[in-house]
Amino acid sequence: MTATTTETPTPTTERLRALIADVREAVGRGLPPDVTAYLVGEKLSPHLGAEGLLTPAQCEPDPAHYRQHVLHAEHDGSFSLVALVWLPGQGTAIHDHVSWCVTGVHQGEEHERRYRLLPAEAAGGTARLVATEDVVNPLGAVCGFAPPGDIHRVWNGGDGLAVSLHVYGADISRLGSSVRRVYDLPADA
C-alpha cells in the first residue's frame, strides 16, 4: 500500500482551523475511543463538502497512487487530520489501524470492503479474511471505528476525484501512516 504523503504544517483556511478546534474539543474530553470517534464524527460532518475547507493544493492527487495530505497533527499526539485524495481506481491494500479513526467524504465517493479475520484454527489451517460488508460512502458520509475489528480496504470506485478527511487518534506526521498492519492473506474478493 503506497501513498504519497504531503505535510501541511499549519491550517491554511479559517474553516479548517474551526474544524481542528472542534475536533480538539471532542478529543480533549478524554472519553473511550468509540465514544471519542462518535463525537469527532459529529464535529466533522458539518464541514464535509463545504467551500473553503481545503485549498486546491490540499486536494491535489498523485497519478500513481492515492495521496495523503497531513493537514494537522496535534502537539500532544492526541489526533491528526489528514486529507486522502483518490483518482478513479486508486485504493489501499487490506489493512487495519494504529488507533481509532473517523472518516468523512468531502468530494466524490469512497468504496469500502470490511473484513473479519478468521484464525487458522477456524479456517482449516490457514488464516483468511472474510468479507463482512461492502459500503459506498457518498459525499457527506461519516463513519468511525476503533481497533480491533477495523480491517478493510478503501478505493475510489467512482468516475471523478474523491477527497476524504480522516481524523486519527495518533500523530500521523510522526508515524507516517495510520496503518498498523497490511494483510497478505487469502481474502474474499
Side-chain angles (χ1 to χ4, degrees):
M1 180 166 66
T2 305
T4 302
T5 300
T6 305
E7 286 195 42
T8 305
T10 57
T12 55
T13 70
E14 188 63 37
R15 182 139 199 158
L16 184 58
R17 286 190 289 275
L19 172 57
I20 291 166
D22 288 347
V23 171
R24 182 179 291 128
E25 186 275 325
V27 171
R29 294 182 187 185
L31 298 171
D34 55 338
V35 177
T36 298
Y38 177 81
L39 294 172
V40 168
E42 285 187 330
K43 301 294 187 179
L44 178 60
S45 185
H47 296 279
L48 297 172
E51 289 292 322
L53 178 62
L54 301 176
T55 66
Q58 294 165 336
C59 297
E60 189 67 34
D62 183 308
H65 34 73
Y66 74 94
R67 176 171 273 164
Q68 172 180 271
H69 295 275
V70 178
L71 304 173
H72 178 77
E74 191 71 350
H75 69 281
D76 64 0
S78 60
F79 74 91
S80 298
L81 178 60
V82 174
L84 295 184
V85 182
W86 319 76
L87 290 171
Q90 293 179 336
T92 69
I94 301 171
H95 65 282
D96 62 9
H97 299 88
V98 298
S99 71
W100 60 264
C101 175
V102 175
T103 66
V105 179
H106 181 62
Q107 179 181 335
E109 66 182 27
E110 276 186 354
H111 294 237
E112 178 184 18
R113 175 164 274 189
R114 298 174 185 169
Y115 295 90
R116 174 176 55 87
L117 178 62
L118 193 59
E121 308 79 54
T126 303
R128 61 176 276 106
L129 295 168
V130 176
T132 60
E133 188 174 17
D134 285 315
V135 180
V136 177
N137 297 304
L139 173 69
V142 174
C143 64
F145 49 83
D150 61 325
I151 303 169
H152 70 160
R153 69 180 175 95
V154 182
W155 69 97
N156 179 354
D159 295 330
L161 186 72
V163 179
S164 54
L165 296 178
H166 297 237
V167 184
Y168 300 107
D171 185 346
I172 301 307
S173 69
R174 184 179 59 79
L175 298 174
S177 173
S178 68
V179 173
R180 179 174 67 125
R181 173 179 35 212
V182 171
Y183 289 84
D184 186 20
L185 293 171
D188 295 344

